[in-house]
Amino acid sequence: MGQGLWRVARNQQLQHQGYSGQGYLTREHGRRIASNSVSNTSHRKQTQGGIDIYHLLKTRKSKEQEGFINLEMLPPELSFTILSYLNATDLCLASCVWQDLANDELLWQGLCKSTWGHCSIYNKNPPLGFSFRKLYMQLDEGSLTFNANPDEGVSYFMSKGILDDSPKEIAKFIFCTRTLNWKKLRIYLDERRDVLDDLVTLHNFRNQFLPNALREFFRHIHAPEERGEYLETLITKFSHRFCACNPDLMRELGLSPDAVYVLCYSLILLSIDLTSPHVKNKMSKREFIRNTRRAAQNISEDFVGHLYDNIYLIGHVAA
């Protein structure tokens, strides 16, 4: 490819310098011109849009000799910005080359808070010898322990001083963490209703459409696979929280927590009906409006119709 580009650049130079109305220059004369153009620094620049092959090859050769960029030669702000895009594994590998940079506490603090958004230890004075790199390893170990046994995982966090023994602190930790196994988390919340209460209050459903708010709720607090007391508890807590976040809308629509409870159950049943491959005769919009208004008579037909459209277009509320 380099030889082809060289021929293109050379032909353009020959045309620029030696083409006349009588035809192309002789071969010997063309060689002299090409030789002079290489030795002449001014002709290393681009000629009428041509490619500066000399400069290109020289730059490429110098880059091959230099190898990778040495981050220690860059301004510290730029080096830290580059390293901030690495995960924990890659940052540990980078510390083998750039030990002082990759072990910087700000980088490991960012990794901790990007994965575990809330820990009680964040708001305390760090103990002697505290390190965010060590804290990251402890948080990772605690999360793996939680995913095997939630009670042991929480006990581990408390023994290391990462979490306080408080339902509110545990709820904040769960709300801001995405590395916990949702099946284990569902079992834990079913047993710790005090933590569940605080976790529900962390949600803000203000100005959200009811099905979208229900989806957000079930993304953090996964619904059980079967109907039962726990599902009823979740819907009840969601209904009261949704009404508390939207008092003006509830007055405008004439809805109460009991009415929202009925709508949530209707949305779950509709989601199953429309998305399940085992249901051949799907519920129509007219049937959904009729059945829902029969259970909650004060709800307008248009509002219930919008609920159906949302499930039909977007999908299951608890997927």
Side-chain angles (χ1 to χ4, degrees):
M1 180 177 178
Q3 293 179 355
L5 294 176
W6 171 253
R7 295 192 188 99
V8 172
R10 188 187 64 178
N11 291 338
Q12 290 181 346
Q13 291 172 346
L14 292 176
Q15 292 175 20
H16 177 67
Q17 298 178 14
Y19 182 78
S20 65
Q22 298 177 354
Y24 289 98
L25 296 173
T26 63
R27 180 175 299 180
E28 186 64 28
H29 192 187
R31 287 176 180 174
R32 288 200 301 273
I33 294 176
S35 176
N36 293 335
S37 65
V38 171
S39 61
N40 191 345
T41 306
S42 62
H43 288 153
R44 289 174 186 172
K45 300 180 181 180
Q46 295 182 353
T47 57
Q48 295 186 355
I51 301 175
D52 189 355
I53 303 301
Y54 178 84
H55 180 72
L56 179 63
L57 295 177
K58 183 179 179 181
T59 304
R60 181 178 179 182
K61 184 177 180 181
S62 62
K63 287 184 177 180
E64 290 176 352
Q65 293 174 348
E66 293 176 359
F68 291 104
I69 298 175
N70 187 356
L71 295 182
E72 294 178 346
M73 303 300 294
L74 300 176
E77 296 83 358
L78 181 57
S79 300
F80 290 140
T81 301
I82 294 172
L83 292 175
S84 66
Y85 288 95
L86 302 181
N87 55 33
T89 302
D90 293 336
L91 194 58
C92 288
L93 294 175
S95 65
C96 299
V97 181
W98 303 291
Q99 185 174 1
D100 293 337
L101 289 173
N103 288 330
D104 187 83
E105 282 292 278
L106 288 177
L107 292 176
W108 287 99
Q109 180 181 0
L111 280 176
C112 289
K113 293 187 176 181
S114 63
T115 308
W116 300 274
H118 176 83
C119 294
S120 304
I121 197 172
Y122 292 161
N123 302 320
K124 298 179 180 179
N125 293 326
L128 185 64
F130 174 81
S131 167
F132 273 102
R133 179 172 180 171
K134 180 180 178 181
L135 176 62
Y136 183 96
M137 305 305 174
Q138 293 176 338
L139 286 168
D140 188 56
E141 178 67 22
S143 297
L144 293 175
T145 305
F146 184 97
N147 293 338
N149 188 311
D151 292 326
E152 292 183 4
V154 174
S155 298
Y156 176 87
F157 289 130
M158 293 179 182
S159 66
K160 299 298 182 181
I162 297 174
L163 276 181
D164 293 339
D165 189 4
S166 165
K168 183 174 294 185
E169 286 297 301
I170 298 174
K172 288 181 180 179
F173 175 79
I174 293 173
F175 185 79
C176 299
T177 302
R178 297 292 178 269
T179 60
L180 304 179
N181 182 276
W182 64 270
K183 291 184 178 180
K184 298 294 184 180
L185 182 58
R186 185 174 61 192
I187 296 173
Y188 180 78
L189 293 176
D190 191 11
E191 297 174 351
R192 292 291 305 269
R193 299 297 176 91
D194 54 343
V195 177
L196 177 61
D197 290 338
D198 287 314
L199 185 58
V200 172
T201 59
L202 293 175
H203 290 81
N204 183 11
F205 302 121
R206 183 172 178 80
N207 295 329
Q208 291 191 30
F209 194 36
L210 180 60
N212 297 333
L214 197 57
R215 288 189 185 93
E216 180 183 337
F217 179 75
F218 283 134
R219 272 196 294 268
H220 288 93
I221 307 174
H222 293 271
E225 297 176 355
E226 299 178 354
R227 303 179 197 176
E229 185 270 338
Y230 182 55
L231 178 60
E232 295 177 357
T233 299
L234 291 181
I235 298 177
T236 300
K237 293 182 181 297
F238 168 81
S239 301
H240 284 84
R241 182 59 182 169
F242 184 82
C243 292
C245 293
N246 299 280
D248 297 335
L249 179 64
M250 295 301 101
R251 285 193 296 268
E252 180 182 347
L253 297 177
L255 297 178
S256 64
D258 292 337
V260 174
Y261 177 92
V262 172
L263 291 176
C264 290
Y265 237 113
S266 299
L267 290 173
I268 293 175
L269 295 177
L270 177 64
S271 298
I272 297 173
D273 185 273
L274 294 181
T275 59
S276 175
H278 303 291
V279 180
K280 295 182 180 181
N281 298 322
K282 305 296 184 182
M283 184 182 299
S284 66
K285 185 174 182 179
R286 180 174 298 180
E287 291 173 336
F288 177 74
I289 294 174
R290 183 178 65 249
N291 296 337
T292 304
R293 295 194 68 194
R294 188 178 299 169
Q297 299 178 357
N298 295 331
I299 302 176
S300 67
E301 182 175 334
D302 291 339
F303 181 74
V304 179
H306 292 321
L307 296 178
Y308 182 94
D309 294 338
N310 183 278
I311 303 300
Y312 184 83
L313 296 174
I314 299 180
H316 206 302
V317 293

